[in-house]
Each structure stands twice: as structure tokens, then as C-alpha cells.
Amino acid sequence: MNRFYKGFFSTKTKDAKCNIELSRIIAIQIIGEIIRGDKNKYNGFELNLVVDDANRLKVIDHGNLKASLQITRP
């Protein structure tokens, strides 16, 4: 069975939120945001998987949109 999971797979994480069947994924979402620090700010991008119960699973946060998209390619 094809699955998405974060971290190391084990039978203990079988029912965890970070371990889902790929067939449950209905969309990929990219959210742009501005990250503000004490002295500067920069763009950030969050890549999420949207599953059939409308929950989102964060896959990655990255400061470069193009690099974020390249990470997702096979």
C-alpha cells in the first residue's frame, strides 16, 4: 500500500496523523507568507497535502518557491 509519512516508519506510527494512504490526498497546497525577524523579513512558502477530511499535513517550509517545487518532483 502506498503511503505518505514523516520521519521513520514503524508500526507504532501506523495510525498517526503523519502516516496516511496516498489515495486520501485530494490536493497540494502552497501558501506564501512573509516571515519577520527582529531586523529583517523574508518570503517563506509552506507546502501542504490536503486530505479527504479537509485536514492539512505540512510537508515542508522553505524560503524559495522554485526550490520547494523542485523538491516535490520525482
Side-chain angles (χ1 to χ4, degrees):
M1 185 176 306
N2 294 324
R3 304 188 74 80
F4 168 80
Y5 58 90
K6 285 176 137 181
F8 296 100
F9 181 78
S10 76
T11 55
K12 293 179 183 177
T13 61
K14 185 176 181 181
D15 296 321
K17 183 178 178 182
C18 62
N19 181 1
I20 61 163
E21 295 178 24
L22 293 181
S23 62
R24 293 192 55 209
I25 299 170
I26 59 172
I28 296 173
Q29 177 185 54
I30 299 174
I31 299 174
E33 55 191 353
I34 297 174
I35 311 298
R36 289 180 171 80
D38 290 337
K39 296 184 179 182
N40 53 19
K41 62 182 180 178
Y42 60 93
N43 293 324
F45 300 92
E46 183 177 305
L47 188 137
N48 299 310
L49 300 177
V50 182
V51 293
D52 56 4
D53 62 2
N55 281 313
R56 296 181 298 170
L57 304 174
K58 186 187 298 186
V59 176
I60 191 171
D61 274 322
H62 206 285
N64 183 307
L65 178 60
K66 187 174 180 179
S68 297
L69 295 174
Q70 289 176 344
I71 289 169
T72 62
R73 294 184 182 171

